Amino acid sequence: MLIIFGFCKPVLSQTAEPDTTISIKADTTQSIKPDTTKSDEPVVKEKKSDIDTTISYDAKTIINFLENRQTQFIGNAVVKYKQMTLKAGKITIDWDKSLLTAEPLADTTWVKTDSTSQDSTISIEIKEKPILIDGGSQMAGDKMMYNYKTEKGRVIRGRTDFEGGKYLGTQIKRVSKDVFNVSNSVFTTCDRDSCPHFHFAARRLKMITNDKVIAKPIVMYFGHIPVIALPFAVFPHHSGRQSGIKIPRYGQSAQEGRFLRDLGYYWAPNDYFDTVMLVDFFEKSGWLFKNTTNYAVRYLLSGTISGSFTRKNFTGGYKSRRWDLQFRHSQQISPTSRLVANGTFVSDKNFYDDLSTNLSTRLQRQVRSNATYTKTWTKSKTSLSINASRTHDLEDDVVSQTFPQLSFRKGQTQVFKSGSKSSSSSGRNTKWYHSLYYSYNSTLLNSKSEYLTGLEDEKETETTRNIKHNVTLSLTSPKKYFGWLSLNQTLNGTEEWFDEMTEYYLVDSTNTIKDQTVKDYAARHTFSYNASANTKIYGMFRPGIGDIQAIRHVVTPSVSFTYRPDFSDLKWGYYTEIADTTGEKIAKDKFGGTTSSYGQKLVSLSVRNLFQMKKGTGENEKKFDLFTMDFGTGYNFNAEKNRLSDFRTTWQANPAKNFSLSAYTTHSFYKWDDENNKRSNDYIFSSGWKKGKFLQTTSTRMSFSIRLKGKSSKGKSNQQTRPSGDMMPYSEEDNEYEQSVLEEDMENAGDRFESDRKFKSLNIPWQMNLGFNFSTYKTNPNYPTKRYYLDVSGAEINITKNWRIGYRAQYDLNTKEISYHSIDIQRDLHCWEARIEWVPNGYGKRIYFIINVKADRLKDIKVEKHGGMPSALGY
């Protein structure tokens, strides 16, 4: 019997094979039963179903053949079974064989042979080819057969994508859930369908999902030309990370001879841990072993450990053990406690100078390590921290370290409660003493510092141990006096405990005072008082230029008074007097020179100027800071001379993400004494006011950065996703985030041993970052020192659609010499890319050429060349 249901777009759901009753869910539900009383009708017996779940299907036309126990779905047919979805122009289900067959539809049309002729020919177009979606993978083909009972199938001329690669085969058989056999297979990462630029071809291929691919024999083609052939090959077939051998890079240089870099193994045993072990071999200077290990447990901890070990050297005939170690660890122990640690250690001060060609690494002259554990108690406003730190100055090869530094702090707390929160917040029923707050902080410190004695790099170590705790009382007025003046007062008291003191004695024969450290308990008590007042003055004007609505000027003048006694006075007991052979008495600090030797009665004046702009209207309205300019000076009544401190000016502007400017200057009010080679106590304006001279510049520092670029090919700037945890300020009205020029300078330098030059993008015709740094010091105006240089970074230009040139340089404007520069040339070859890096001078002098496949999983397929001894230009 043949039953046809027309174009009603039904959706069928059933859990058993079709019997004499067929249920169809459409606009109306029908039950159609064959008349079993007629002798010419077949008798259909019910059979036990082999289907263990629901099969859902949809099509324009559904035809059921009860005699053959088959169902056909024609036109936009979709069948869903478990996690599998099958789409095709025509799908046939054979219920007896548990077989699904998917085929395309042929659409025939009459097409005229030419515009002047009346003759026509039949044109056949194949539409709605089968597509099989199983889990996250998708496969297309000309014809598909699938047994839903055995979960085996076959695809004629199948095509599938996986991790950026394309697999094709004349016939693909699914022999088990995760195993596929492919006949006459082709694999490529090129997205050209008709003729890919390169591909791998194999007569037989077995693909084991999330394990490996076995092919034999395998031939690599460039276009239609075979290049390399192997009897068999085994490739990993994993999504995400995968363990495997790292293919090395070969090169040659005049200093190291021939070398192999980055030969090793990457191991990723689970989702929480991976490590890569690499070895560099150098013909002249030995080998360099490198290891980087990453670990992470979500919401608990994460970190990286990276180290290297070598016996390389470039001097003499000996080899020495040299190494470096870097680590980073972050762990959330509990909701209120956390451990953060990071550090860098090197075996000697010249390690990076000798072994690294990365400019950022070589310019780093201090390496720091730090570990901090913090615990907070929110309700009581208290916190505890334990810190260990280490600083290695690579210039002088001296180390300063602190362990432990234990700090306990209680946050600002009201001394006298003011009653309910509502009355406190509103200011009603509050007294002046309700604005009195206290805070407490205590510190246990143990530190050691190395310093050079000046005798043939001889070093000495200074140790400091003390316990310090202080109490701070502050009085902050909740209201403004006269409606505009804010007043604040702070009293700070500090007590320090020491386990050793310094004793002094006179050597009569030389009339010199010597010191010695003795173990003894001692306490030192100091205090200071500060009072400040400030207000804000607002000014606004409307320039009427373009879409600028207004410019606001906020002036914040403030004055403060600080008092601290002179604790070198003998009445405090912290200093002792030693008389020399002439009878002159000299005061010496019992605490090794850490006690303040002068007092303060300091009045400080400062003025902050903030300029803001509002532009645009409606949804396009934006508010942002243009620049700030700060002025400050002070007068110390306790100073013996030069009571008026230098006049300081600070200027900072970052009105746009591609522009940054900062400047800092200091000016002295006092004349320079050429005879005694120091500042005199005479004011400049005492004799120079007629000429308008009141100040003399003592130092100037200026930094300027700007990013210049053309418009992208789409007419918009190159937008980037804002990095998580970013702390740089930006306008809340910005819908898209673009990295600022300051953030680009703070990016990670990458591999600490080699420069990792990357082009930012290929859709911007050109871009360039310019940085100018200038500093001059005129403490002695007769012998000024200055340093200024120009830094060019991120300079890129598109010569054509596929050619791009990059440049980086640092130019010393004082010596008129190029400290460092490099040129990069990149060629986009569709699915391949080529790059040339040229460093004309300096330690990293080299030429490097590489051409490789773009796809990350095939980056080891490459051809590269390092300039060496016999190469042109001497590289």
Side-chain angles (χ1 to χ4, degrees), residues 722-734:
R722 187 171 182 83
S724 60
D726 184 81
M727 298 300 292
M728 295 296 294
Y730 71 106
S731 173
E732 294 181 356
E733 291 85 353
D734 290 345

Side-chain angles (χ1 to χ4, degrees), residues 94-109:
D94 190 322
W95 301 100
D96 288 333
K97 297 180 180 179
S98 303
L99 185 65
L100 280 80
T101 303
E103 302 171 281
L105 291 178
D107 185 13
T108 59
T109 57

Side-chain angles (χ1 to χ4, degrees), residues 150-176:
T150 62
E151 296 187 350
K152 296 181 180 181
R154 183 174 60 177
V155 181
I156 306 300
R157 285 182 289 278
R159 300 172 297 279
T160 185
D161 296 342
F162 182 83
E163 291 287 305
K166 294 185 176 183
Y167 292 88
L168 299 89
T170 57
Q171 183 171 259
I172 301 176
K173 291 183 179 180
R174 183 179 182 178
V175 297
S176 65

Side-chain angles (χ1 to χ4, degrees), residues 246-251 253 256 258-264 278-282 288 290 312 355-357 751 753-754 843 846 862 864 866:
K246 296 279 291 183
I247 298 178
R249 297 182 289 113
Y250 170 77
S253 70
E256 297 171 328
R258 291 169 294 185
F259 60 78
L260 285 176
R261 287 187 183 270
D262 297 338
L263 172 64
L278 304 173
V279 178
D280 297 345
F281 292 99
F282 302 88
L288 173 67
K290 299 178 289 185
K312 288 181 59 177
L355 302 178
S356 175
T357 58
D751 187 344
F753 290 104
E754 293 187 88
Y843 175 80
R846 64 188 179 277
K862 59 193 174 184
E864 61 181 338
H866 289 260

Side-chain angles (χ1 to χ4, degrees), residues 680-740:
S680 68
N681 205 32
D682 298 327
Y683 291 106
I684 295 176
F685 59 78
S686 62
S687 59
W689 63 273
K690 292 183 180 180
K691 299 180 181 180
K693 294 182 178 180
F694 299 91
L695 299 169
Q696 186 178 72
T697 304
T698 55
S699 68
T700 301
R701 296 196 302 269
M702 186 174 68
S703 176
F704 171 80
S705 298
I706 187 171
R707 177 174 56 212
L708 305 173
K709 65 179 180 180
K711 292 184 178 179
S712 66
S713 57
K714 298 180 180 179
K716 295 182 179 181
S717 298
N718 185 33
Q719 302 295 335
Q720 304 173 9
T721 303
R722 187 171 182 83
S724 60
D726 184 81
M727 298 300 292
M728 295 296 294
Y730 71 106
S731 173
E732 294 181 356
E733 291 85 353
D734 290 345
N735 294 323
E736 292 181 312
Y737 170 72
E738 183 181 2
Q739 194 177 41
S740 72

Side-chain angles (χ1 to χ4, degrees), residues 498-503 516-523 573-574 589-592:
F498 297 85
D499 66 344
E500 61 184 23
M501 296 182 65
T502 303
E503 289 185 349
Q516 62 181 7
T517 301
V518 295
K519 292 293 182 180
D520 191 9
Y521 166 78
Y574 306 143
D589 184 12
K590 297 180 181 179
F591 299 98

